[in-house]
Amino acid sequence: MATPLLSLDTQHQDMVHDAKLDYYAKRLATCSSDRLIKVYDILEDQHYQLAADIQSHDGPVWQIDWAHPKFGTILASCSYDGKVIIHKEESPGQWQQIYVYQEMSSSVNSIAWAP
């Protein structure tokens, strides 16, 4: 059995559905049934620091995905509320919604960027 390299208290209030490292493995994003996306900075010596809470969905957030860094610091999310939201970090810890797709009549369960 493998041993974990790092134990992470996500500070979510409900079940965590997804966790993704960015391209450089310097940031970790998590999403949960508590409707939040949390972004952590991964520091040296197996330490981490909460960098941002993103609250933009009206239901559980099922999945997240980082865009390639050549497009900026961009994170996509999908949720039970039927929305797909694209978030961009405008300045450290400050995230803005740059696009919201809400034409779905039911839950959006998966999201991914094209290669």
Side-chain angles (χ1 to χ4, degrees), residues 37 39 54-57 61 63-68 71-79 81-90 94-102 108 110-114:
I37 299 167
V39 179
I54 304 170
Q55 186 170 7
S56 55
H57 286 284
V61 185
Q63 197 170 32
I64 48 181
D65 200 22
W66 293 97
H68 191 279
F71 300 109
T73 307
I74 296 177
L75 189 61
S77 62
C78 64
S79 171
D81 63 11
K83 296 177 188 172
V84 172
I85 302 178
I86 310 299
H87 312 270
K88 181 174 184 172
E89 188 174 38
E90 299 294 335
Q94 300 298 315
W95 291 79
Q96 298 291 334
Q97 293 180 18
I98 59 172
Y99 184 77
V100 178
Y101 181 80
Q102 53 190 9
V108 179
S110 187
I111 187 112
W113 294 99

